[in-house]
Amino acid sequence: MTPEPSAEVPPPGRFPRCGAAQWGYAADQVDALLAAVHARLAGPPPAGGPAATPARDPAEVGSRHVRTAVFDRARGGYRPGAVDEALDAAEDALAALERDLFLGAHGAEAWHQYLDGLAALLRGRLERPRTRRFRRPSRARARGYSAAHVDVLCERLAEHLEGGETLEPSALRRAVFPSAHGERGYEEQQVDAFLDRAVELLLALR
């Protein structure tokens, strides 16, 4: 069943703007992304059927596309907070669509195998010792994310996967870490890639 986009995902052009002297998100870029989201949610599945795993077709806007979207700054642009909330709803709706397409094409057993593989990938990283879960910044003086703060979030995620504290995708989407360098920091790109897959799993488990 195709999710109804209008109830939760605002259409383009429906966001409050910043003041003329304030910086916000570039409105044309936000509107273009949301137009693509609505088209995907309202339209039929791609002619070739769903990909082997959710949201892997680069020609179709998917949950990962929304999750990793970055907009230029513009004076008088859309207020970031309102847009971010809409993008969360868009990502949720697309993830549900991707799950339904996958189940329809491959069945529940393949879906559970996919989730088990993704969970095993994440657990392999989470089971590493504190301060050793990710690479250090490639250059000695380069700054990365504070390893201590990243580890705290990793431990919350591990607890959630073991049936403990509930962790919402928003806690990972909105995670902000202090900067650190040397042995106190983790490489930002590797942490970001891990969190991206973790959000994917949390959405799939809903």
Side-chain angles (χ1 to χ4, degrees):
M1 178 181 297
T2 302
E4 289 292 338
S6 58
E8 295 184 356
V9 184
R14 296 289 182 86
F15 298 98
R17 288 182 177 267
C18 299
Q22 296 176 314
W23 293 96
Y25 290 153
D28 58 338
Q29 295 174 5
V30 174
D31 286 346
L33 178 59
L34 285 178
V37 168
H38 277 268
R40 177 77 194 279
L41 293 175
T53 54
R56 294 295 186 271
D57 182 356
E60 294 289 337
V61 64
S63 58
R64 180 171 294 175
H65 189 154
V66 172
R67 184 162 60 250
T68 58
V70 177
F71 307 110
D72 292 338
R73 297 170 69 225
R75 290 190 184 277
Y78 287 150
R79 292 189 179 277
V83 174
D84 290 343
E85 288 183 7
L87 294 183
D88 286 352
E91 184 185 350
D92 291 348
L94 288 170
L97 172 63
E98 290 158 3
R99 180 181 64 245
D100 290 346
L101 291 175
F102 188 100
L103 286 168
H106 306 289
E109 183 177 352
W111 175 249
H112 290 302
Q113 289 176 351
Y114 169 73
L115 294 184
D116 288 345
L118 182 54
L121 178 69
L122 297 176
R123 285 192 175 99
R125 182 74 61 178
L126 294 171
E127 289 169 358
R128 296 184 182 188
R130 285 178 61 87
T131 75
R132 293 291 181 268
R133 290 189 170 103
F134 302 94
R135 290 192 298 264
R136 304 301 175 195
S138 56
R139 291 178 288 109
R141 298 182 65 85
R143 288 191 171 273
Y145 294 143
S146 164
H149 287 79
V150 173
D151 282 339
V152 168
L153 185 57
C154 284
E155 285 153 16
R156 289 183 62 197
L157 175 60
E159 184 177 351
H160 172 78
L161 295 179
E162 296 304 319
E165 174 194 6
T166 299
L167 187 66
E168 293 294 331
S170 58
L172 305 181
R173 290 166 172 155
R174 303 284 178 260
V176 177
F177 308 109
S179 61
H181 63 273
E183 289 298 307
R184 296 184 178 181
Y186 284 145
E187 183 181 82
E188 295 179 1
Q189 292 84 350
Q190 192 177 38
V191 174
D192 289 342
F194 174 83
L195 294 179
D196 177 75
R197 301 308 298 274
V199 170
E200 183 179 341
L201 179 63
L202 294 187
L203 289 174
L205 290 173
R206 284 182 163 181

